[in-house]
């Protein structure tokens, strides 16, 4: 049941990004996503084509029909890996803007400010926000290497484990924004998410699935920030209200 609820929280982000008063805070994360995705997609498609052609070069003529199987497998594999790596990079760059968007969504949902910092205070806080993203990266990388090995070399089981790992990391990535706005340590935020793992995996699974859908993946980042903030407000915020 919590899995479904987590999925619903992500979907609620689609309506939140269009709400009056929030649209302008969605714009910058959206533009960052569009620019980075558009520029990287060109290289990704070329890389897939080169890889498939390389493999086909070693196939004997009587196995040439395997090209029709290799292409979708390669595409799915790259989408699996790319969706996670791309999110890590874009969120690192967009962290200050995602944090601001989360703050405004919380204000919209509760009518209460997270803090009274002005623009100057926000700018001063950027190094701390980027430090938080670096902490996420250090938490993510060692695990990513292990699950990537499983993905590449153990069929089915490896894919399932990569999916679950990616779902968890997406939950950590996005739900951490409102936790961070309340100055809750990253380690504490992770412990809270582990206490409601069904909710976390449901939300993260939705982010992962929509991240692999063409066109829709362009707006996943702001949608996920909005949905994650609603999840935080309705499940964790009561413990941190002033």
């Amino acid at each position: 049941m919590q899995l479904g609820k987590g999925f619903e929280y992500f979907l609620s982000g689609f309506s939140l990004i269009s709400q009056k008063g929030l649209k302008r805070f969605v714009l910058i994360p959206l533009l960052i996503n569009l620019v980075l995705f558009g520029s990287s997609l060109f290289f990704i498609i070329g890389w897939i084509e080169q890889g498939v052609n390389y493999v086909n070069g070693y196939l004997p003529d009587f196995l040439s029909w395997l090209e029709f199987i290799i292409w979708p497998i390669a595409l799915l594999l790259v989408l699996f890996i790319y969706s996670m790596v791309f999110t890590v990079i874009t969120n690192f760059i967009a962290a200050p803007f995602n944090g601001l968007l989360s703050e405004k969504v919380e204000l919209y949902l509760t009518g209460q400010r997270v803090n009274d910092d002005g623009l100057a205070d926000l700018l001063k806080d950027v190094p701390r926000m980027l430090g938080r993203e670096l902490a996420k990266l250090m938490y993510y990388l060692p695990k990513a290497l292990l699950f990537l090995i499983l993905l590449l070399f153990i069929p089915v089981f490896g894919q399932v484990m990569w999916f679950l790992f990616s779902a968890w990391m997406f939950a950590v990535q996005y739900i951490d924004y409102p936790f961070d706005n309340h100055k809750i340590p990253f380690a504490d935020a992770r412990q809270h998410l582990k206490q409601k793992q069904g909710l976390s995996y449901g939300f993260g699974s939705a982010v992962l699935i929509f991240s692999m859908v063409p066109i829709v993946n362009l707006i996943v980042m702001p949608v996920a920030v909005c949905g994650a903030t609603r999840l935080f407000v309705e499940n964790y915020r009561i413990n941190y209200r002033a």
Side-chain angles (χ1 to χ4, degrees):
M1 184 172 180
Q2 278 199 327
L3 282 171
K5 189 65 176 176
F7 208 98
E8 290 174 11
Y9 275 119
F10 170 79
L11 295 178
S12 72
F14 283 101
S15 62
L16 284 170
I17 63 172
S18 62
Q19 295 301 314
K20 184 178 180 181
L22 295 179
K23 292 180 182 178
R24 62 182 180 274
F25 298 104
V26 170
L27 184 60
I28 295 180
L30 181 60
L31 288 176
I32 291 173
N33 208 35
L34 285 170
V35 171
L36 292 178
F37 180 82
S39 59
S40 61
L41 186 61
F42 175 80
F43 295 102
I44 290 295
I45 292 175
W47 182 77
I48 294 175
E49 186 174 4
Q50 290 178 8
V52 172
N53 290 337
Y54 178 81
V55 173
N56 288 340
Y58 286 91
L59 290 177
D61 291 338
F62 70 91
L63 291 178
S64 60
W65 57 271
L66 284 175
E67 180 179 355
F68 297 101
I69 299 177
I70 294 173
W71 259 106
I73 293 176
L75 184 61
L76 183 61
L77 185 63
V78 170
L79 283 174
F80 246 53
I81 299 172
Y82 177 67
S83 61
M84 193 67 206
V85 174
F86 177 77
T87 298
V88 170
I89 296 172
T90 53
N91 277 279
F92 188 87
I93 296 172
F97 306 105
N98 285 339
L100 180 61
L101 172 59
S102 177
E103 185 177 325
K104 297 305 178 183
V105 171
E106 186 168 338
L107 173 61
Y108 172 82
L109 293 173
T110 67
Q112 298 177 356
R113 293 184 180 277
V114 177
N115 54 66
D116 296 319
D117 294 345
L119 179 59
D121 293 313
L122 176 63
L123 293 175
K124 291 178 182 178
D125 212 25
V126 168
R128 187 194 60 79
M129 293 179 181
L130 295 180
R132 182 90 165 203
E133 290 303 308
L134 186 60
K136 293 180 192 177
L137 188 61
M138 293 300 101
Y139 173 72
Y140 159 76
L141 280 178
K143 300 174 180 62
L145 292 174
L146 171 62
F147 285 103
L148 182 59
I149 292 172
L150 294 178
L151 172 67
L152 294 175
F153 296 105
I154 306 181
V156 183
F157 176 78
Q159 283 75 40
V160 171
M161 294 306 295
W162 179 264
F163 183 94
L164 292 175
F165 165 69
S166 298
W168 171 252
M169 286 308 306
F170 275 127
V172 170
Q173 176 65 57
Y174 287 107
I175 306 174
D176 183 61
Y177 285 120
F179 274 111
D180 186 34
N181 285 339
H182 286 266
K183 305 298 188 293
I184 301 166
F186 182 50
D188 292 353
R190 296 201 312 270
Q191 289 304 313
H192 282 299
L193 296 182
K194 287 179 181 178
Q195 291 170 8
K196 297 186 178 182
Q197 289 191 30
L199 202 60
S200 301
Y201 277 107
F203 179 85
S205 296
V207 179
L208 175 57
I209 291 170
F210 280 85
S211 293
M212 294 188 291
V213 178
I215 308 300
V216 177
N217 55 13
L218 298 177
I219 62 171
V220 161
M221 184 165 65
V223 168
V225 173
C226 292
T229 305
R230 169 163 274 168
L231 186 155
F232 171 86
V233 166
E234 296 182 5
N235 294 273
Y236 301 108
R237 183 178 182 272
I238 190 172
N239 297 320
Y240 297 99
R241 285 187 299 184

